[in-house]
């Protein structure tokens, strides 16, 4: 029985576990959605909830506590300027864990952990990535046309080298 055994050890010593959780909390606040294993996500959830509660309080003492825990100043600013006010009227339950499936290799169960309301932010990031990808493809096509090459030319050259 697990009476009075709180938290997760995650197979790490104390300092490694603390550093891991600090990095995960910082990444989750910055990205608003991260992919990790299910035990790490479950261990991460209470700490993130405490950080968001600090962000909702918004006073100097809360800001100093968050600064002491989070890894970057950008994460502290985002926590207090955008995330804290977003959950101003909500009492807890700021995160969602979505199971993804098993990891190839060791079979660990993977999951997404995200802040509620982060769907808009994730969609904006996807659109930006798609636009950047399309822009790179257009630039590559223009560069190939300027050189007078076609898309099939490299494949033909490779075939000639194999024959020799």
């Amino acid at each position: 029985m697990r009476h009075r055994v709180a938290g997760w050890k995650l197979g790490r010593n104390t300092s490694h576990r603390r550093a891991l959780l600090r990095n995960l909390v910082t990444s989750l606040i910055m990205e608003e959605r991260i992919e990790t294993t299910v035990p790490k996500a479950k261990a991460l959830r209470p700490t993130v909830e405490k950080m968001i509660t600090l962000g909702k309080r918004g006073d100097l003492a809360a800001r100093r506590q968050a600064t002491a825990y989070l890894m970057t100043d950008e994460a502290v600013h985002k926590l207090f300027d955008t995330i804290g006010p977003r959950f101003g009227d909500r009492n807890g339950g700021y995160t969602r864990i979505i199971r993804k499936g098993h990891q190839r290799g060791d079979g660990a169960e993977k999951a997404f952990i995200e802040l509620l309301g982060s769907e808009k932010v994730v969609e904006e990031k996807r659109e930006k990535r798609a636009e950047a990808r399309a822009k790179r493809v257009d630039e590559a096509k223009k560069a190939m046309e300027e050189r007078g090459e076609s898309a099939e030319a490299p494949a033909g050259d490779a075939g000639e080298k194999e024959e020799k």
Side-chain angles (χ1 to χ4, degrees), residues 144 148-160:
M144 288 179 67
E149 297 176 358
S150 66
E152 299 173 5
D157 292 340
E160 292 174 11

Side-chain angles (χ1 to χ4, degrees), residues 32-33 86 96 98 114-126:
E32 298 200 13
R33 179 179 187 173
R86 184 195 311 170
R96 172 188 303 134
I98 303 169
E114 63 184 10
L115 300 177
L116 296 180
S118 66
E119 296 83 14
K120 297 173 188 173
V121 175
V122 171
E123 284 299 320
E124 289 174 4
K125 287 181 182 180
R126 280 191 189 135

